[in-house]
Amino acid sequence: MTTSDPRSGAQLRSYLALTRAIPLLAPALLKRRLARGKDLPGRWREKLGEPSLPRPEGPLIWLHAVGLGETLALRGLIAALADQAPQAEFLVTSTTRASAEVMAQNLPPRTRHQFLPLDAPAYLARFLDHWRPALSIWAEQDLWPGAVVATAARGIPLALVNARMNAEAYARRRRWTGLYADLFARFRLITAQDDVTARHLQALGAKGVSVTGSLKAAAPPLAADPAKLAEAREMLTGLTPVLLASSHPEDEFVALSALRAAHPRPLLLIAPRDPHRGQEIASRVAEHGLTATRRSLGQGPTADVWITDTFGEMGLWYRLCAASLIGGTFGPTEGHNPWEPAALGSAILHGPRIANFAGDFAALHQAGAAQPAQPEAVIAALTADHSAMAARANALSDAAQGALAPLATDLLKLAHLG
């Protein structure tokens, strides 16, 4: 546990001075993002600190994560906190449109979502005046200095959980050691996913870092609309669907090359990390001499490839596909979350590049619950019987979901809740 230090060094003071200029540019920049579809109509002003929801009665716990995967990972922690503090309400903030759209379909009870305001004093004051959190929990590595300082200045306890910082991320931050040391001094509790992250945080000035593992392993299963699930299951009757999940171009090239050579061919579902890439992927499928349909256009699985280029439906595909090839593992992305398929009984296969989830995959490999696949053999690997491997992964996921109680207890003590 760290101790609070209200002093600010030169780097933090300079940053905070610059943030006073943000309101001069923010409205125009946000309107431009809105025109490009990067923000949600009707909600973009949340980033100016203007709430779109009322504050609930009772103590409010505010949790922040930057993007889609990090935001979804908070659900298990919220469940553990809710079990111990039945009087508490929860606010989740994030910064990306995708995180807001998918989280809306996976909100735990007593939880609402807003966008984090831009890091300007006036926006943050408006946000904090409205929500008045009893506790502020930040996840992974997305720290907004202005928000941290403004929150600490009001005496609101701060915690950093699930921190993740590989060597590359640490190298980018080393020149800002003074700034990070000032920020970490304001946190009363800091936990890391692994020993490497803990060492990097300590090198940046964090004190008393504990290693508690990844929250992603403890997240509840992704939701699926029952009517859509029944409809999709009917469409897939008689087919052998396999899934490329959260894909990038490098993964798609590997999977399509293997599919073209496969006989017989299963139905390959491609769920891109960015659903807006549907047309691009369809063109790549054609270049491989294969056919494709796109779910976003209302088309069903009537070709070699079904491109499921829609938001918030991964809970469908993991339930319906016996095996999943994890995207980002054949290129520089270095992997995506393997625990989402694990929680829903879909066997986990992956390429060689898994640095972003090295600890997670190590735990799965040790339990015989995930398997690497060679590029030329990914389709054969996906169509093999991995039911025993999937069951082992599912058991690990179930066990992790019940292991967050000690962390929840420590967090609630900071705010005298529970």
Side-chain angles (χ1 to χ4, degrees):
M1 186 174 293
T2 66
T3 57
S4 179
D5 182 353
R7 295 172 295 175
S8 298
Q11 288 183 336
L12 181 54
R13 290 198 305 272
S14 298
Y15 175 90
L16 294 175
L18 290 173
T19 62
R20 296 187 178 278
I22 290 175
L24 300 175
L25 304 172
L29 290 175
L30 290 175
K31 288 178 182 178
R32 193 176 308 162
R33 285 177 54 86
L34 184 65
R36 296 201 302 264
K38 292 190 174 183
D39 277 321
L40 286 173
R43 291 191 58 187
W44 66 275
R45 296 191 68 87
E46 292 173 19
K47 295 187 176 182
L48 305 179
E50 299 179 10
S52 62
L53 295 172
R55 187 198 186 280
E57 296 295 327
L60 180 79
I61 297 175
W62 163 33
L63 304 95
H64 174 74
V66 58
L68 174 58
E70 298 87 353
T71 305
L72 288 173
L74 293 174
R75 294 172 301 132
L77 180 58
I78 291 171
L81 291 166
D83 284 345
Q84 297 185 31
Q87 77 278 31
E89 297 282 337
F90 301 92
L91 169 69
V92 174
T93 60
S94 62
T95 58
T96 67
R97 175 173 179 163
S99 64
E101 292 179 322
V102 177
M103 191 64 176
Q105 301 173 44
N106 290 273
L107 279 174
R110 312 196 320 255
T111 304
R112 66 279 303 144
H113 175 274
Q114 296 277 274
F115 287 109
L116 184 72
L118 300 179
D119 219 25
Y123 302 159
L124 295 166
R126 194 178 294 153
F127 174 85
L128 292 169
D129 285 346
H130 177 78
W131 292 106
R132 304 187 311 280
L135 174 64
S136 176
I137 302 171
W138 292 66
E140 301 222 7
Q141 53 183 319
D142 187 52
L143 296 181
W144 290 42
V148 170
V149 170
T151 302
R154 296 192 180 210
I156 299 166
L158 282 153
L160 173 62
V161 302
N162 206 39
R164 176 169 60 95
M165 189 178 296
N166 60 24
E168 182 180 350
Y170 169 66
R172 292 196 301 268
R173 290 163 171 77
R174 285 184 62 183
R175 67 164 68 183
W176 305 105
T177 298
L179 182 148
Y180 280 98
D182 283 339
L183 295 181
F184 291 143
R186 290 168 165 83
F187 284 84
R188 301 188 192 179
L189 178 70
I190 299 178
T191 74
Q193 294 187 21
D194 50 56
D195 292 331
V196 171
T197 293
R199 290 194 295 271
H200 289 155
L201 293 175
Q202 290 162 353
L204 292 174
K207 307 295 184 183
V209 180
S210 59
V211 177
T212 56
S214 171
L215 289 183
K216 289 184 170 67
L222 292 174
D225 179 89
K228 290 183 178 180
L229 180 61
E231 178 187 37
R233 180 174 283 118
E234 178 67 24
M235 287 192 289
L236 293 171
T237 299
L239 301 174
T240 305
V242 295
L243 176 65
L244 171 55
S246 296
S247 69
H248 297 265
E250 299 86 357
D251 314 301
E252 293 148 11
F253 178 82
V254 168
L256 292 172
S257 298
L259 184 67
R260 180 176 58 185
H263 297 286
R265 290 174 183 157
L267 171 68
L268 175 63
L269 276 64
I270 297 181
R273 185 66 172 180
D274 177 4
H276 294 109
R277 294 184 53 244
Q279 182 54 54
E280 173 195 334
I281 297 169
S283 297
R284 298 290 179 269
V285 172
E287 290 172 3
H288 280 77
L290 300 167
T291 59
T293 53
R294 293 174 57 192
R295 180 165 172 82
S296 67
L297 301 180
Q299 298 167 346
T302 57
D304 298 313
V305 177
W306 194 20
I307 303 169
T308 54
D309 50 345
T310 48
F311 277 108
E313 292 193 326
M314 292 304 298
L316 294 178
W317 316 131
Y318 287 133
R319 283 177 170 84
L320 295 170
C321 296
S324 298
L325 180 65
I326 304 301
T329 60
F330 289 95
T333 302
E334 296 286 352
H336 286 299
N337 182 5
W339 295 106
E340 291 178 353
L344 289 168
S346 185
I348 302 161
L349 294 104
H350 61 86
R353 304 188 63 171
I354 54 175
N356 275 342
F357 292 87
D360 302 277
F361 279 105
L364 289 162
H365 289 158
Q366 186 175 11
Q371 178 179 304
Q374 296 301 314
E376 66 279 3
V378 294
I379 297 301
L382 284 167
T383 54
D385 181 4
H386 297 297
S387 54
M389 186 173 76
R392 289 190 288 269
N394 188 247
L396 285 180
S397 175
D398 288 345
Q401 290 174 40
L404 288 179
L407 176 59
T409 298
D410 290 342
L411 289 167
L412 292 170
K413 285 179 180 177
L414 300 179
H416 306 290
L417 298 171

